[in-house]
Amino acid sequence: MFKHILVPVDGSHTSMLAVSKAAGLAKAFGSAVTAVYVIDPYPFTGVGADFAYGQAQYLSAATSEANAALDAVKQAMQEAGVEVTAIVGEGHAVHEGVVRALESTGADLIVMGSHGRRGLEKLMLGSVAQRVLSAVHVPVMVVRE
């Protein structure tokens, strides 16, 4: 039914629940799986003279965090007997990076975790899952705790 599953991750427990769900679906349907961790490559645009130094430190830390999260995904998928491709995506907003990854992989399903934020927290931090839902034309399975 689904040929390619995209799993956006952020290293959280909730995203790992989505990884587990995606692994089960991939086994059931024989789907390819791509995991993506999105970083903002230019979070300090226009900050000043210290921009280059701060940028290098940020990118190093963000890439390290992304690789750690993707390593956990690879381990979980391997334990489930599922092959996975892991990529680090870029976007000024996470949902933009997810949409780019969807377009580049040709995935036909997104399985992603949602932290379930409500009220002021949702207003301040937003909902990546909600933004992805409004931006794509493929099914999105939202996994919550």
Side-chain angles (χ1 to χ4, degrees):
M1 181 170 194
F2 297 109
K3 294 179 182 172
H4 196 144
I5 301 171
L6 180 67
V7 187
V9 296
D10 63 4
S12 68
H13 174 69
T14 307
S15 72
M16 291 307 291
L17 291 174
V19 167
S20 177
K21 185 64 74 176
L25 290 168
K27 285 187 86 161
F29 297 120
S31 309
V33 178
T34 299
V36 61
Y37 186 109
V38 178
I39 60 173
D40 181 352
Y42 304 107
F44 305 121
T45 303
V47 171
D50 294 331
F51 168 71
Y53 181 70
Q55 176 72 11
Q57 285 182 317
Y58 162 78
L59 281 177
S60 177
T63 301
S64 177
E65 185 176 309
N67 288 332
L70 291 170
D71 286 345
V73 171
K74 290 176 190 174
Q75 179 67 31
M77 289 289 187
Q78 182 180 18
E79 289 172 6
V82 175
E83 295 273 333
V84 64
T85 301
I87 59 173
V88 177
E90 293 184 351
H92 289 298
V94 173
H95 76 281
E96 292 172 358
V98 172
V99 170
R100 276 194 208 99
L102 176 70
E103 292 167 351
S104 69
T105 62
D108 54 359
L109 173 68
I110 298 174
V111 178
M112 65 187 303
S114 174
H115 297 286
R117 294 185 179 104
R118 299 195 188 317
L120 186 59
E121 187 178 41
K122 181 177 179 180
L123 180 66
M124 299 301 290
L125 298 174
S127 170
V128 174
Q130 187 174 18
R131 289 183 180 142
V132 167
L133 279 165
S134 67
V136 301
H137 299 288
V138 299
V140 179
M141 177 182 284
V142 178
V143 178
R144 295 188 57 187
E145 209 160 342

